[in-house]
Amino acid sequence: MIKIYVIIAIVEVFDRLMCSLGQDAYDSLYWNTTRRPHHPRMIISTLVVMVYVALHSLILFIHVATLNVAMNSADQALLTLLISGNFAEIKSTVFKKYNKQNLFKITTSDICERFKLALFLSLVLLLNCFQGGMDQSRIQAYMQVCGVVLAAEILADWIKHMFITKFNFIKSNVY
């Protein structure tokens, strides 16, 4: 289980780094297409974006594969992995100083993270269903684990936002 935990942690770090790099690559491509579409740098920007998309897709594929391995393990490693990651996230963000703009970024990041988790868990379910060996009881057990994981994610985000607003004296009507 420790190996899966390390792989998921590394993949999440690389995913965040690639998201940041991708934003810059897309901005550069947009600037080149609007300002100088026939310049040779347009080709370079296009190649950088293509390489970025391939690498980021590979990282996301590895993430889905590790979630599949964790979900199919006998000791319910997925639940332990994701809940421990949630509490590490709470620990890393609670005592920092934030303003309203940073709170908006954190909120949108949490929404994207929940969507991505729901999408990946759905992909793992579809993968296991199409590979066979999933009867009705296993699908129900999988859905229960997914529900617990998503509920733990929402609870961890709620606790995180509760402490951020408390320690930074931000009123709840900001949301």
Side-chain angles (χ1 to χ4, degrees):
M1 185 181 99
I2 291 177
K3 293 176 186 177
I4 295 174
Y5 179 76
V6 170
I7 291 172
I8 286 183
I10 290 171
V11 165
E12 287 178 354
V13 167
F14 276 114
D15 180 37
R16 290 186 182 174
L17 290 173
M18 292 301 284
C19 285
S20 177
L21 175 71
Q23 187 66 42
D24 293 339
Y26 283 128
D27 287 343
S28 174
L29 181 64
Y30 176 74
W31 190 85
N32 281 325
T33 55
T34 57
R35 306 272 191 227
R36 48 184 185 186
H38 302 293
H39 196 271
R41 281 193 140 175
M42 179 67 184
I43 296 170
I44 295 171
S45 291
T46 304
L47 289 175
V48 167
V49 167
M50 289 171 57
V51 169
Y52 157 75
V53 168
L55 287 175
H56 199 182
S57 298
L58 178 67
I59 289 170
L60 293 176
F61 177 75
I62 292 169
H63 197 173
V64 171
T66 54
L67 285 177
N68 188 22
V69 169
M71 190 64 201
N72 291 327
S73 68
D75 60 350
Q76 295 294 331
L78 176 69
L79 194 60
T80 307
L81 288 171
L82 296 178
I83 290 176
S84 64
N86 287 336
F87 286 107
E89 181 182 354
I90 289 172
K91 186 178 103 175
S92 68
T93 59
V94 165
F95 297 111
K96 291 183 180 176
K97 198 74 169 155
Y98 292 103
N99 57 20
K100 292 178 185 178
Q101 290 80 19
N102 291 348
L103 187 62
F104 178 74
K105 288 179 183 177
I106 291 172
T107 304
T108 55
S109 174
D110 289 341
I111 292 168
C112 289
E113 183 180 351
R114 282 186 217 155
F115 176 75
K116 188 166 47 172
L117 181 62
L119 179 69
F120 287 176
L121 291 174
S122 300
L123 287 173
V124 170
L125 175 65
L126 286 174
L127 177 70
N128 288 331
C129 285
F130 286 128
Q131 285 181 346
M134 290 283 287
D135 57 351
Q136 190 68 23
S137 63
R138 288 192 69 193
I139 291 174
Q140 284 181 334
Y142 180 82
M143 295 301 284
Q144 287 175 346
V145 170
C146 289
V148 170
V149 166
L150 289 173
E153 180 75 31
I154 291 170
L155 178 67
D157 288 342
W158 182 73
I159 292 170
K160 178 177 69 173
H161 285 274
M162 180 181 67
F163 279 111
I164 287 172
T165 54
K166 179 184 178 199
F167 291 136
N168 293 292
F169 304 107
I170 300 172
K171 297 192 183 290
S172 63
N173 61 2
V174 169
Y175 289 101

